Amino acid sequence: MSNDDQLAPLVDTLTQTPLSILKICRAYERHAPNHSRYTDQIGDEIYRLGQKALNITDGSRPSYQRMIDALCKQLGSPAQEDELSAVSTNGTDLRL
């Protein structure tokens, strides 16, 4: 499981993104900066923004790698393969 310090950069990036609705999420408002208390909402936001980045409107589920690549490209923050594997193994993939 990820701790708050590990999740902080991810949450900061998400909340600074104009398309993000995480910053108005009740769990974020209630628990930030204790990010580990609302990991489901963080995962939902990553998934939602990933689908938006891929322009998916039919409800299909892209692969985790494809979704993260598209989201990082849209945010201007290229993901490194070793970073993605570290995120997945420490539980931050948030069941995507």
Side-chain angles (χ1 to χ4, degrees):
M1 182 114 193
S2 298
N3 67 34
D4 296 331
D5 292 333
Q6 291 172 314
L7 291 169
L10 175 61
V11 171
D12 289 343
T13 300
L14 289 173
T15 57
Q16 293 172 15
T17 304
L19 299 175
S20 177
I21 60 172
L22 183 63
K23 58 189 157 251
I24 61 171
C25 173
R26 191 176 301 240
Y28 170 81
E29 291 173 348
R30 190 175 294 155
H31 299 296
N34 299 324
H35 308 304
S36 59
R37 304 234 10 226
Y38 58 98
T39 55
D40 288 345
Q41 288 79 11
I42 295 169
D44 290 346
E45 185 67 352
I46 292 170
Y47 183 75
R48 189 185 72 76
L49 291 173
Q51 284 190 312
K52 197 170 215 41
L54 291 169
N55 200 25
I56 294 176
T57 58
D58 63 359
S60 62
R61 295 184 64 114
S63 71
Y64 179 74
Q65 181 68 48
R66 184 172 169 230
M67 183 178 60
I68 294 297
D69 288 344
L71 181 57
C72 288
K73 184 178 178 180
Q74 185 177 35
L75 295 175
S77 176
Q80 301 295 323
E81 187 66 36
D82 58 331
E83 291 173 347
L84 291 178
S85 62
V87 165
S88 292
T89 56
N90 74 19
T92 319
D93 67 352
L94 308 169
R95 296 182 293 262
L96 294 175

